[in-house]
Amino acid sequence: MSLAYQCPLCQQTLQLSNKSLRCDNNHTFDYAKEGYVNLLPVQHKNSKQPGDNLDMVQARREFLNTGHYHFLQQAIAKLVSEQSPNNVIDLGCGEGFYTQAIANFCKGEVYGVDISKSAVKYAAKRYQNCQFSVASISQAPFADNQADVLVSIFAPLFEQELGRLASPDAALIVASPGPWHLKELKQKIYREVNAHTPIPVPIGFELITQTLIEQSVRLSFAEVKNLITMTPFAWKFRPEHWQALEQQGEQNVTLSFYLSHFKKKC
Ligand SMILES: C[S@@+](CC[C@H](N)C(=O)[O-])C[C@H]1O[C@@H](n2cnc3c(N)ncnc32)[C@H](O)[C@@H]1O
Ligand SMILES: [Zn+2]
């Protein structure tokens, strides 16, 4: 079953009319020429440009294009398709790198939601096999208990919202940093690097499997630069750190991820 979007202003179901979505209260949201719909009303924005900015989006796009995260992308898409979902929501989908791979593996309808307009614009322009919207995942624009699989890849988790969106048998699949993810880069800025731990089981879900997926890759300075720029710790890198990285040239970097599969509790 495909999912109907919900009006972010009055929670009524949105119906397609021409190239817009409209609720019974006449709240209207137009599809952009790239094919996504913006369901983030100005009054719900807490900044002018919420979510990842264009620099982060471009850096992530370039880094993901190198193929170094291909092994994670394929593992996620395979795990999602094994659930045989009728529909999937990728919460905090960014540029749609994982969303479109999931859509390639699954027969069901795949939705990508992100608060960053720059990211969604890019995703919708590039990938036609999913439905993308700009919206907050703290109040996702879908009805209660309809989603078969919820996916969260390095995105914030809003526990209550996950429970609300999930259908009775739903799966929740979360990718989060593994113990020594990007250890070599973090050592440049932190005196001590602490290992990441697996994410706690979200309220209302039970753990099915938790897999650690790791690879060590050799990256050029340009790749390292993009990899750092797309992470939240980029702002910690000062000019002397960038200089040292550039002088080093190529280096080995650990990529490490927890892939957690939860199921909604009956
Ligand atoms: C680290 S990025 C991951 C993007 C994508 N899942 C990936 O791995 O390529 C986190 C994403 O979450 C989005 N995000 C942060 N807060 C959000 C919110 N409240 N609602 C929707 N998206 C949000 C950001 O804009 C960003 O695209
Ligand atoms: Zn409405």
Side-chain angles (χ1 to χ4, degrees):
M1 190 190 68
S2 56
L3 298 173
Y5 284 116
Q6 219 180 38
C7 176
L9 297 171
C10 69
Q11 278 69 52
Q12 301 271 340
T13 303
L14 291 167
Q15 312 279 359
L16 186 64
S17 89
N18 284 329
K19 285 186 176 161
S20 305
L21 293 175
R22 184 168 302 174
C23 72
D24 284 348
N25 292 321
N26 258 338
H27 299 128
T28 306
F29 306 88
D30 297 335
Y31 272 92
K33 66 174 187 313
E34 293 84 2
Y36 69 90
V37 60
N38 191 336
L39 298 173
L40 189 68
V42 243
Q43 56 269 46
H44 289 190
K45 282 188 182 181
N46 50 14
S47 71
K48 202 163 173 238
Q49 200 191 57
D52 284 7
N53 61 37
L54 192 59
D55 282 351
M56 289 174 88
V57 168
Q58 274 169 349
R60 185 172 307 112
R61 189 173 72 184
E62 275 179 44
F63 184 78
L64 294 174
N65 276 343
T66 63
H68 291 303
Y69 274 20
H70 181 76
F71 70 107
L72 174 67
Q73 181 199 48
Q74 297 300 294
I76 293 172
K78 185 168 172 286
L79 182 56
V80 173
S81 76
E82 282 166 5
Q83 315 309 311
S84 309
N86 290 316
N87 60 61
V88 179
I89 310 176
D90 183 0
L91 298 157
C93 65
E95 302 71 37
F97 173 74
Y98 302 94
T99 332
Q100 58 86 24
I102 293 167
N104 282 339
F105 270 67
C106 295
K107 286 204 188 81
E109 203 74 54
V110 181
Y111 299 80
V113 184
D114 202 288
I115 204 164
S116 162
K117 191 170 155 187
S118 312
V120 170
K121 202 173 189 172
Y122 175 76
K125 206 168 171 179
R126 185 166 185 189
Y127 307 119
Q128 269 85 54
N129 58 350
C130 331
Q131 302 202 38
F132 291 102
S133 57
V134 177
S136 174
I137 55 170
S138 65
Q139 282 174 285
F142 302 97
D144 300 359
N145 307 315
Q146 301 294 319
D148 289 342
V149 177
L150 295 167
V151 177
S152 171
I153 304 163
F154 318 120
L157 285 169
F158 296 93
E159 284 191 335
Q160 235 183 324
E161 199 55 358
L162 297 173
R164 181 187 75 75
L165 293 166
S167 68
D169 248 1
L172 165 65
I173 289 162
V174 183
S176 60
W180 301 114
H181 185 50
L182 310 186
K183 169 187 79 183
E184 299 80 358
L185 303 179
K186 288 176 188 163
Q187 279 166 346
K188 311 270 186 225
I189 47 166
Y190 300 116
R191 210 171 277 171
E192 208 181 313
V193 177
N194 297 319
H196 287 281
T197 52
I199 61 151
V201 180
I203 296 164
F205 289 84
E206 57 187 323
L207 182 64
I208 306 295
T209 56
Q210 199 148 55
T211 320
L212 189 58
I213 310 177
E214 292 183 307
Q215 268 190 17
S216 175
V217 287
R218 192 144 184 88
L219 302 182
S220 66
F221 170 65
E223 290 171 330
V224 165
K225 197 172 167 197
N226 284 329
L227 182 53
I228 293 171
T229 308
M230 72 190 228
T231 68
F233 64 91
W235 63 275
K236 292 236 176 208
F237 280 78
R238 288 193 288 276
E240 60 269 28
H241 297 127
W242 289 115
Q243 239 166 25
L245 283 168
E246 190 164 16
Q247 272 165 12
Q248 192 174 347
E250 283 193 358
Q251 64 170 307
N252 292 330
V253 176
T254 304
L255 306 179
S256 168
F257 311 101
Y258 285 114
L259 191 52
S260 309
H261 174 193
F262 305 100
K263 197 170 179 314
K264 192 172 181 177
K265 271 191 197 161
C266 301

